[in-house]
Amino acid sequence: MEFEVRIASESDLVAVRNVVGDAYTPYISLIGQKPGPLLDDYEALIRAGRVTVVEIHEVVQGLLVLIPENGTMLLDNVAVAPSAQGLGLGRKLMAYAEQCARTAGCQLIRLYTNEAMARNIEYYARIGYVETHRAEEKGLKRVFMTKTLT
C-alpha cells in the first residue's frame, strides 16, 4: 500500500480534526477528561506549517505535529485514524518525524503521552524512546520520553 506524506494545508483542517477526534475520543473515559490533542488549535498549527498528514488514496488517515525547540524536536502529536491502524502509518509517521528532526539539525526528539496510554508507552520504548520523567500538566498525567538521533 502506498502512503503519501506531506505538510498539511488549510483544506486539510476538517480531516485533521476528524482523525484527531476519532483517535483520541476513546481515551476520554480512560483518563477522565479530554486528552491534550483534542484541545489543540489545528488551524493555527496548520498555518504555522507544524502539521504533517499521511494519505491513502487521497484521504487523510494520519498526522503528526512537530515543533522545533532549541536543538530538540518536540513530537507533539501523532495520530492515526482507527480505520487505518495496523497498516504501518504510525511507523511511517514516526520515521518521518525523526528524519525531519535530523534534517533540522536536532540530535534529540522528545514526546509525551498520557500515563494511562500504556500501549503507546510500550511502543515508544520498543522503537528507542527512553522515559525521562513523569509530571502533571494541565491536569493530565504525562510520561515524557526522548530519543537520541544518530
Side-chain angles (χ1 to χ4, degrees):
M1 181 170 298
E2 198 167 311
F3 311 136
E4 181 187 348
V5 179
R6 62 175 176 76
I7 299 297
S9 68
E10 290 184 15
S11 65
D12 294 314
L13 180 59
V14 170
V16 165
R17 286 179 175 157
N18 288 340
V19 168
V20 171
D22 291 346
Y24 287 98
T25 296
Y27 289 107
I28 294 172
S29 61
L30 181 65
I31 64 175
Q33 67 185 62
K34 287 184 178 181
L38 288 174
L39 306 173
D40 287 343
D41 181 350
Y42 291 97
E43 186 173 4
L45 289 165
I46 289 170
R47 273 197 312 267
R50 301 290 181 228
V51 181
T52 298
V53 295
V54 61
E55 296 179 323
I56 300 174
H57 304 299
E58 299 180 11
V59 177
V60 173
Q61 298 288 346
L63 64 101
L64 59 85
V65 176
L66 294 173
I67 301 173
E69 309 174 317
N70 298 324
T72 299
M73 185 67 74
L74 170 62
L75 174 49
D76 193 49
N77 185 7
V78 59
V80 175
S83 62
Q85 291 176 3
L87 301 176
L89 296 182
R91 282 190 307 277
K92 177 93 169 174
L93 286 167
M94 294 299 289
Y96 183 85
E98 291 173 17
Q99 186 56 49
C100 286
R102 284 185 195 94
T103 300
C106 299
Q107 295 181 3
L108 192 72
I109 188 166
R110 73 180 194 92
L111 58 81
Y112 54 87
T113 191
N114 192 283
E115 71 178 22
M117 297 177 182
R119 207 174 77 197
N120 294 356
I121 296 166
E122 292 168 7
Y123 172 71
Y124 298 140
R126 277 197 315 275
I127 62 170
Y129 286 78
V130 176
E131 183 177 329
T132 59
H133 66 286
R134 294 179 183 226
E136 188 168 323
E137 284 185 344
K138 301 176 187 174
L140 298 165
K141 295 178 180 178
R142 293 182 167 164
V143 177
F144 293 80
M145 304 178 86
T146 62
K147 182 176 182 178
T148 302
L149 304 172
T150 55

